[in-house]
Amino acid sequence: MLDEFNAAVRCPDAHGGLACLPLLLDALAEDEPRPDGTRWIVDDNARLDMAALLRYCFPQPEIHVVAAEYGAAAHNRGWLRLDRALPTHDYTSLVETAEGWAETDRTFDDVLQVYGRPSATFGDQDPHSAKTVGYGSGDRTAPLAVFHFGEAGDAPSARLLAFRSGDDMFGASMGFTPFGDALVDERERRQH
């Protein structure tokens, strides 16, 4: 079941879509006793609040954004198998520097050069495609730090839209690149 979830969360389209992710997580949760009787995900889908906000901000509602939210929830439970766990010092440094670093337009290649191979990639593996990548340490209580990318367009690789770390409300844990801000502004103009 863990293998199936870890494959599906990284590439939902190839494994039945987003609808399969909560079902897999519910199946995993059945084997984990909870003394208070609660489920791993609340019934009102509050777990998706951040994903809904992100999907609203970006030009296309990307499936990898929501998959990354499920991945982050699974990481907190110890169910997400990291492709690479960052040493605590490297993780802390990333979290402390990435939001300021992302105040300049960046690409997927830039993120790889500075922070190395991600702990998990949600979405298309092609460096030019939209995706979300997460960086995590071996400490599952430390949330995934995620970078959200849009299509490359005329850039050499996918363009960084935003960086997020932590479980705080939207503005407190999120930093947009100038390119990401411009996309949000353009979308809001089209909405009104």
Side-chain angles (χ1 to χ4, degrees), residues 92-110:
T92 302
S93 176
L94 180 149
V95 168
E96 290 174 353
T97 63
E99 186 172 353
W101 180 82
E103 290 175 356
T104 301
D105 283 329
R106 309 288 182 165
T107 66
F108 181 65
D109 291 340
D110 295 331

